[in-house]
Amino acid sequence: MIDVEPARLLGIPEGVESPHSQLQSTLNACGLNGGATEDLRRWLALASFHTSHLYENLHDLEEVGAKSLTMLQRLGRSYADLVCADTYVKVAAPATAGAQSSDVVRMATTVRQELGQWLRSLGAAQLGKGEAANGGAASVYEQVSYQVLGALALHGCFSVAATLLETVCPSLTSVVVTRGESPVSELEREFSRTRLTWTYRENGPDHARVFTAVVDSEDGRQAEGKGPSKKAARSAAAQAFLGRFARRQRAEAEAVSARTVPPLCYSAPGKAHRETVADLRAMFELDQREEPWLTQALTHTSWAYENKQELASARQRDNTFLAHHGSLVSAFLAALTRCRNTFSTTLDPDEDQARITGINNEWTHQLGQALNLDAGLLLGRGETGRERSRLLDGAAQGVLAVAWRAHRIRLLQRRPDALDRWLEGLGHELDSFTQLQQICSAYGIGLDHEFEVTGPDHQSVYYCRLTMTSHRRTLTWQAKDGGRGHSAAKIQASREVLDIITADLVSENPAWNAQERALACGMLLSQIEGAATLSQRAMERAVARGDLGMAALVTGDTRAFAVWAEAASGLVGRIPEMLADAISSLYRAAVRYQRIGHTSPLARAHRALGEGSEAVARGLAAQATSRALDHPLAADLRGAVVDWWRSSTAKVALRISDEWVTRDRQLLPQQTGALTAVLEWCAQAAAAAGRAVNIELAAPDENAHVLIELPGVDVPATCNALTSLLNSTVPFFSCTPDEDRVLLELTQPLELASLPALARVGLDAYTSSAPRPRQAGVDTAAISEQRADEDPQRDFAADSDYPRDILPGRAQDAVLPGP
């Protein structure tokens, strides 16, 4: 059963057929039945894959990346957590928001374990050989079960997903209300007059031990729990015992009270508050009975503290309870929006596309501003001196909770444009402190922080001081601006540091003071010193961030890299030879990864399987590009063309411009190989069409240009597979197909002698990442002599690689039959 029409998603490729029969049967029993389209069945089959299984079968599923499973897992988990919160708030009225949060977390933990046990019992998870041999850790089955929930949510099958949770997770029917204590502490307090006995057992391999705790009471009651540690198992067993034997009557009584005695609106909240509530009702299409709940969503803790009598008379609370529920609503909506947007364009997202982050306070502030909550927010007198717009996070989450409780899944179909725009605008970036942590961790830089607090207790402002330590230096940064708490202060200080160390040294020309310049210089040196220690994953992230000029280098913008390197050298001074070697290793690894790494276009083309002309063309193009990279010899352009011509059977017309006499270029081995690959490809296309190949060589600037005309051939359709790979793989090479012609530009590498050491190291890595030339130049006389020996019937010019009838000249053409 599909509750919400799903967004247009990419189809799962062949090789993923249908889910396990037991899984399909269970979902059918939960209401899926005839609602499972072929596309949904394939998505469910994919969702039953563990990442280990997918990695072992990447050659069969080239279009699908492992991060797609991670996204499904995050979506499924966010939905399961929201169902737990929905169930809890229906039957419980905890004393504090902290208790509510703790109870929902424990409930979600138990649900996760129950889902994993259910999927293990079905045997429906597809595991890699290593995981399957060990039986699979509990966490493996939990992850896959979340993926199944994520696939259902992605396709709008929310009632099926909810029924599945109710069916396989008995904890959802026995809600435990606590006082914010740990389950073990609550168990000991609740049953203090009863003797409890604990027993433990463990099994599984050393790297995936599963602990089981069993608690028995002297009157014969028993419960057990499992976990990856003895403590976790003990906690799960205590929670299971409480769920069965304690607090059920009190929870039911509290639930009746919560449902039958709803809150009221305040007697005199003010005109602005009433207008905001009315606007929210209209915006979210809510009934009048939701007004008291909207009032609660707009009640800040400071107002509640100063107006306790008004709060009690209206049976109201502050907005922290609603805000907790709303935080789970926003997390689910954000995860669903992210997955739908990503899977509509790719099934192999990169790290940035696949990231689904938690919703931080800054983002919920923005939602509060978009919903115009500022004027209607009820604040205490102590908060009036602060910026109201920075206090909207709890109110925004509270409003989402009210709308979700009223509409549930209908909120996915009918919601305000402001909420839609906010969801679509979430970039899911890492917060500034996490970004700085990643950079420091990659390069072996320690990162510590401490805080300074100013202002009265109810208006405290935190200022963070960051300390970055490498084996050669210690750098400190005192934040200029503060935050409302420790987290906000850390993020603010990290943002200031990132603004400095990621500044564009060329275009921005930053006007730093002495402290900022010292920080930029020290961090750049620390990154250079730690360049040799980067792991593969850290290197990939460094390339994505553009650390150390790598964004320009790996994409072939060598001039931009040289300009950056010159600016960086002006900042840090001369690079010692030892550090030059270290960063050279990083640059070579980065360039190699970009060209032939696992996620490179060339590697993907080699792995691509399939039938039809396009698949064959991709495979042939990958082979031709690999041969180009492995080409052993350097050559001048004329020599490369003649070498190809001698081995070709194509009919060729050649034109050489006048300036070519003095501007012939020595090519890199990779350029020579790429040129040969294009000539061979075009010759085969022309032969298939029964046409000649027209070639023109020109040197209008410092670069060499080759124009290959193929009359009567659809060049883009014929050559795109090859040219796209060559452009992304071969250095100093550009190939542009256009209608019936191909234009090649073979760029002259920059002269290194006048550049700073940092630039020379990077450019050498870019040029030399493929095999170096086996000879520095080409002896044309020796080659002519050798060719004459090979074919005495041909007459070659003593001083040229060309046949005697091919001489430079603007208006001179020649037709060369194949040898």
Side-chain angles (χ1 to χ4, degrees):
M1 177 181 177
I2 298 178
D3 307 287
V4 178
E5 190 65 27
R8 293 184 63 86
L9 307 173
L10 293 181
I12 302 298
E14 295 182 4
V16 182
E17 299 302 331
S18 59
H20 190 278
S21 58
Q22 291 293 329
L23 176 60
Q24 185 70 62
S25 298
T26 303
L27 296 179
N28 288 342
C30 293
L32 188 61
N33 296 326
T37 63
E38 179 64 26
D39 191 46
L40 174 55
R41 281 194 290 271
R42 288 193 176 189
W43 272 94
L44 288 170
L46 176 66
S48 67
F49 289 3
H50 185 250
T51 50
S52 59
H53 177 78
L54 188 61
Y55 276 125
E56 292 178 5
N57 293 275
L58 275 176
H59 59 282
D60 294 326
L61 295 171
E62 172 60 26
E63 300 93 337
V64 181
K67 289 184 175 62
S68 60
L69 297 182
T70 304
M71 296 187 73
L72 287 177
Q73 179 188 334
R74 291 296 302 270
L75 176 57
R77 179 167 187 165
S78 68
Y79 181 69
D81 291 349
L82 180 55
V83 169
C84 290
D86 290 344
T87 304
Y88 182 86
V89 298
K90 286 180 183 177
V91 300
T96 66
Q100 174 177 303
S101 177
S102 298
D103 288 345
V104 171
V105 168
R106 295 190 187 101
M107 191 174 177
T109 300
T110 304
V111 165
R112 185 187 74 234
Q113 294 168 348
E114 291 169 340
L115 281 170
Q117 293 165 5
W118 159 73
L119 195 64
R120 183 193 288 269
S121 67
L122 285 185
Q126 302 293 307
L127 310 183
K129 295 178 182 178
E131 289 288 352
N134 295 322
S139 60
V140 168
Y141 293 95
E142 292 164 6
Q143 292 167 10
V144 177
S145 65
Y146 278 146
Q147 291 167 193
V148 172
L149 286 177
L152 291 171
L154 188 64
H155 285 77
C157 302
F158 296 102
S159 59
V160 176
T163 303
L164 175 65
L165 286 168
E166 294 172 0
T167 302
V168 304
C169 302
S171 60
L172 285 174
T173 61
S174 56
V175 177
V176 179
V177 182
T178 73
R179 302 176 181 177
E181 303 170 287
S182 71
V184 175
S185 298
E186 185 181 2
L187 177 66
E188 291 173 347
R189 177 179 52 76
E190 185 73 15
F191 295 91
S192 58
R193 298 183 179 183
T194 303
R195 183 171 177 269
L196 300 175
T197 304
W198 293 88
T199 56
Y200 305 92
R201 60 179 184 271
E202 58 182 283
N203 52 39
D206 291 341
H207 69 283
R209 304 297 285 172
V210 177
F211 293 83
T212 302
V214 180
V215 56
D216 293 278
S217 65
E218 58 185 359
D219 56 1
R221 290 176 288 184
Q222 183 186 83
E224 73 172 44
K226 297 179 183 294
S229 66
K230 183 181 288 187
K231 181 179 179 180
R234 185 181 174 95
S235 178
Q239 189 164 344
F241 197 98
L242 289 168
R244 292 181 187 177
F245 308 118
R247 294 197 175 279
R248 188 166 301 164
Q249 293 79 12
R250 199 179 89 179
E252 292 174 353
E254 289 178 339
V256 171
S257 174
R259 288 195 301 268
T260 58
V261 189
L264 305 173
C265 293
Y266 301 126
S267 58
K271 180 180 178 181
H273 175 81
R274 288 196 300 270
E275 290 178 346
T276 301
V277 169
D279 290 343
L280 289 172
R281 271 193 58 200
M283 195 182 302
F284 284 94
E285 301 179 357
L286 299 172
D287 295 335
Q288 186 173 0
R289 60 188 175 185
E290 306 300 338
E291 282 191 4
W293 295 107
L294 291 173
T295 291
Q296 185 175 125
L298 295 172
T299 301
H300 191 262
T301 52
S302 60
W303 192 93
Y305 181 78
E306 295 177 6
N307 297 271
K308 295 179 181 178
Q309 185 174 353
E310 180 78 9
L311 209 72
S313 62
R315 300 193 294 271
Q316 283 283 9
R317 291 175 161 183
D318 62 38
N319 60 17
T320 53
F321 295 87
L322 285 174
H324 169 257
H325 192 189
S327 68
L328 299 176
V329 175
S330 63
F332 166 65
L333 293 178
L336 181 60
T337 303
R338 181 70 161 181
C339 286
R340 284 182 169 181
N341 289 344
T342 299
F343 291 142
S344 66
T345 58
T346 180
L347 298 177
D348 186 14
D350 60 28
E351 186 173 15
D352 290 332
Q353 292 172 313
R355 184 182 300 117
I356 301 176
T357 59
I359 306 299
N360 59 39
N361 289 343
E362 183 175 348
W363 291 349
T364 48
H365 288 319
Q366 295 171 4
L367 176 60
Q369 290 174 323
L371 297 176
N372 297 317
L373 304 184
D374 189 4
L377 183 63
L378 299 176
L379 289 175
R381 292 183 298 274
E383 299 289 348
T384 55
R386 297 175 62 181
E387 184 182 354
R388 293 175 65 91
S389 63
R390 304 304 299 171
L391 302 172
L392 299 178
D393 52 336
Q397 291 171 333
V399 169
L400 279 184
V402 175
W404 177 260
R405 293 180 186 185
H407 293 307
R408 286 295 194 268
I409 298 303
R410 285 178 296 162
L411 188 61
L412 301 178
Q413 297 173 301
R414 298 180 62 85
R415 59 192 183 208
D417 288 341
L419 177 56
D420 256 343
R421 289 193 298 270
W422 178 74
L423 289 170
E424 293 291 342
L426 292 175
H428 293 271
E429 303 92 350
L430 297 174
D431 65 74
S432 299
F433 182 69
T434 305
Q435 292 179 44
L436 185 59
Q437 275 186 316
Q438 279 192 355
I439 293 173
C440 291
S441 175
Y443 295 97
I445 303 170
L447 177 63
D448 295 310
H449 56 272
E450 55 188 11
F451 299 96
E452 177 184 345
V453 186
T454 63
D457 291 344
H458 66 286
Q459 285 185 322
S460 297
V461 179
Y462 293 78
Y463 291 86
C464 181
R465 179 186 178 90
L466 296 174
T467 303
M468 290 141 284
T469 307
S470 65
H471 68 286
R472 289 178 179 268
R473 64 188 58 79
T474 297
L475 304 168
T476 60
W477 180 258
Q478 178 65 52
K480 298 176 182 178
D481 295 319
R484 293 166 52 194
H486 291 93
S487 178
K490 282 194 303 184
I491 290 174
Q492 176 59 37
S494 302
R495 184 182 297 117
E496 294 175 10
V497 171
L498 289 174
D499 286 343
I500 294 172
I501 67 175
T502 62
D504 190 329
L505 300 180
V506 180
S507 61
E508 294 182 10
N509 191 22
W512 288 322
N513 59 33
Q515 183 188 14
E516 293 168 338
R517 186 176 181 84
L519 176 65
C521 177
M523 284 295 289
L524 184 55
L525 280 172
S526 296
Q527 286 177 289
I528 293 174
E529 292 163 358
T533 65
L534 264 67
S535 65
Q536 177 70 20
R537 184 174 180 82
M539 184 268 290
E540 294 171 17
R541 288 176 171 170
V543 171
R545 287 192 303 264
D547 293 359
L548 301 172
M550 284 191 286
L553 184 64
V554 299
T555 56
D557 193 348
T558 53
R559 293 187 182 277
F561 173 77
V563 173
W564 172 86
E566 190 167 357
S569 299
L571 180 65
V572 301
R574 180 178 175 273
I575 304 296
E577 183 176 347
M578 179 179 65
L579 295 185
D581 291 341
I583 198 170
S584 175
S585 299
L586 173 62
Y587 283 153
R588 289 173 183 271
V591 171
R592 180 177 178 82
Y593 172 77
Q594 188 76 6
R595 291 180 184 166
I596 62 175
H598 181 74
T599 59
S600 67
L602 180 58
R604 292 177 185 274
H606 272 301
R607 294 196 302 269
L609 299 176
E611 299 178 355
S613 58
E614 290 186 7
V616 173
R618 284 199 305 270
L620 294 174
Q623 295 172 19
T625 303
S626 295
R627 287 196 300 270
L629 287 179
D630 294 335
H631 197 277
L633 300 175
D636 61 84
L637 186 56
R638 289 180 297 177
V641 172
V642 169
D643 279 344
W644 163 76
W645 168 75
R646 285 176 53 81
S647 62
S648 174
T649 60
K651 189 176 182 181
V652 180
L654 181 65
R655 180 189 294 270
I656 306 174
S657 63
D658 288 337
E659 65 268 19
W660 193 264
V661 177
T662 57
R663 290 189 177 180
D664 196 1
R665 293 289 179 262
Q666 183 76 14
L667 304 182
L668 298 171
Q670 305 99 302
Q671 290 177 312
T672 305
L675 173 61
T676 303
V678 174
L679 291 172
E680 290 175 349
W681 194 278
C682 291
Q684 292 176 15
R691 301 299 184 97
V693 181
N694 301 323
I695 303 175
E696 181 175 347
L697 308 181
D701 49 33
E702 68 272 13
N703 300 325
H705 298 258
V706 180
L707 178 63
I708 306 173
E709 294 182 338
L710 301 170
V713 176
D714 184 355
V715 170
T718 304
C719 300
N720 272 344
L722 176 66
T723 57
S724 61
L725 285 182
L726 292 175
N727 287 338
S728 64
T729 306
V730 178
F732 304 109
F733 185 87
S734 173
C735 186
T736 307
D738 178 27
E739 294 185 1
D740 61 350
R741 63 186 61 193
V742 181
L743 176 63
L744 308 183
E745 182 177 10
L746 297 98
T747 308
Q748 186 75 2
L750 298 176
E751 291 292 338
L752 302 182
S754 61
L755 297 177
L758 190 58
R760 294 197 301 270
V761 165
L763 294 175
D764 181 65
Y766 180 75
T767 304
S768 307
S769 59
R772 292 179 177 273
R774 295 185 182 178
Q775 59 187 73
V778 177
D779 185 345
T780 58
I783 290 179
S784 297
E785 182 180 351
Q786 178 184 353
R787 290 173 180 166
D789 292 339
E790 292 171 353
D791 190 353
Q793 301 300 317
R794 289 190 177 271
D795 187 12
F796 292 93
D799 59 350
S800 172
D801 285 339
Y802 283 89
R804 189 166 289 165
D805 57 346
I806 304 301
L807 300 176
R810 184 183 304 278
Q812 196 167 359
D813 293 333
V815 177
L816 305 184

